[in-house]
Amino acid sequence: AQSVSQHNHHVILSEAASLELGCNYSYGGTVNLFWYVQYPGQHLQLLLKYFSGDPLVKGIKGFEAEFIKSKFSFNLRKPSVQWSDTAEYFCAVNSYNQGGKLIFGQGTELSVKP
Amino acid sequence: DTAVSQTPKYLVTQMGNDKSIKCEQNLGHDTMYWYKQDSKKFLKIMFSYNNKELIINETVPNRFSPKSPDKAHLNLHINSLELGDSAVYFCASSPLSGGPSTDTQYFGPGTRLTVL
């Protein structure tokens, strides 16, 4: 069965620090990969997605992610975080022939100190 | 101009009651979903509908019954509510018909259900 694992449960950073959130998935076939963000009390918003092509994907708000197929990983990065990046971050995967079902990781809570 | 809307935003009820949550999307999408987010913020799919037809039905108790009167609406009815049903329920929609899943899902604001 497909699964998604996010390495860090809670990350605390100071403003301007660099961010990397780990995400690994288990599935042998072709997958599509997503990072969603959930700001406090709000709904999920798409940060970025990978379907095919360049494995380095750029998203909104200065985020990027790199798909490394050999490592089954899709880590999220940002060179310099801001206090407004405080949120819950979810990695998600879906695959062909799964009816669009998204499998989510358990989420990483990011707290940025001003 | 809300894309995916849910009502109510908060729902507090007693054990054993029956309640419904409504979801509407004005994006013209073909597919709609229900996800449950538990107290640890873990998100898991419950159902998906494509053009009023049930596509995904995960191992959800049959007390939960989705209903799609048209492709813009997907409601969730819950019978005999239990304490463990307390969670945030998110509706989502996506453009394509549930085949190659390269489309993005757009989420609603969530409904926080509290069962006392």
Side-chain angles (χ1 to χ4, degrees):
Chain A
Q2 284 178 295
S3 67
V4 178
S5 175
Q6 291 181 237
H7 310 152
N8 312 101
H9 181 63
H10 191 186
V11 172
I12 302 172
L13 295 172
S14 298
E15 275 194 315
S18 63
L19 170 72
E20 181 160 2
L21 301 182
C23 173
N24 285 88
Y25 66 94
S26 66
Y27 183 71
T30 302
V31 295
N32 305 306
L33 298 149
F34 305 81
W35 274 99
Y36 280 86
V37 61
Q38 186 178 25
Y39 297 104
Q42 296 190 25
H43 63 287
L44 282 88
Q45 302 172 43
L46 183 71
L47 271 181
L48 46 79
K49 59 187 178 184
Y50 172 80
F51 295 151
S52 63
D54 188 344
L56 185 60
V57 179
K58 294 195 184 297
I60 61 171
K61 305 186 180 187
F63 287 91
E64 63 178 32
E66 185 176 13
F67 171 51
I68 303 179
K69 190 173 181 179
S70 60
K71 295 184 178 180
F72 297 90
S73 70
F74 190 55
N75 292 353
L76 181 71
R77 299 194 291 250
K78 186 171 184 178
S80 175
V81 295
Q82 301 172 314
W83 176 79
S84 57
D85 293 325
T86 295
E88 191 90 18
Y89 291 81
F90 294 93
C91 182
V93 167
N94 69 15
S95 60
Y96 282 50
N97 305 318
Q98 290 287 314
K101 176 172 71 174
L102 278 173
I103 307 295
F104 283 90
Q106 57 269 59
T108 297
E109 182 182 353
L110 173 65
S111 300
V112 180
K113 296 181 175 180
Chain B
D1 61 344
T2 304
V4 183
S5 60
Q6 295 179 228
T7 54
K9 188 168 183 179
Y10 299 97
L11 183 54
V12 181
T13 188
Q14 301 285 334
M15 268 198 312
N17 284 350
D18 303 338
K19 291 293 178 185
S20 292
I21 306 171
K22 295 185 177 182
C23 178
E24 177 181 1
Q25 54 94 4
N26 62 7
L27 298 166
H29 288 170
D30 287 332
T31 307
M32 296 183 71
Y33 309 81
W34 277 110
Y35 288 86
K36 179 180 179 180
Q37 186 177 45
D38 64 22
S39 58
K40 295 183 179 178
K41 303 224 172 154
F42 182 63
L43 275 153
K44 187 172 181 185
I45 191 164
M46 301 173 70
F47 302 102
S48 81
Y49 267 73
N50 173 252
N51 276 319
K52 302 192 294 176
E53 181 182 350
L54 182 66
I55 301 297
I56 295 173
N57 184 351
E58 293 291 290
T59 50
V60 176
N62 57 16
R63 298 182 294 104
F64 290 79
S65 53
K67 286 188 171 50
S68 182
D70 55 62
K71 76 172 192 176
H73 295 84
L74 180 61
N75 303 325
L76 183 64
H77 188 75
I78 316 170
N79 289 328
S80 303
L81 277 154
E82 300 178 356
L83 293 176
D85 297 332
S86 295
V88 181
Y89 293 84
F90 286 98
C91 178
S93 73
S94 65
L96 293 181
S97 58
S101 350
T102 56
D103 52 336
T104 299
Q105 292 183 26
Y106 296 83
F107 284 79
T111 295
R112 183 174 293 277
L113 171 65
T114 303
V115 182
L116 303 175

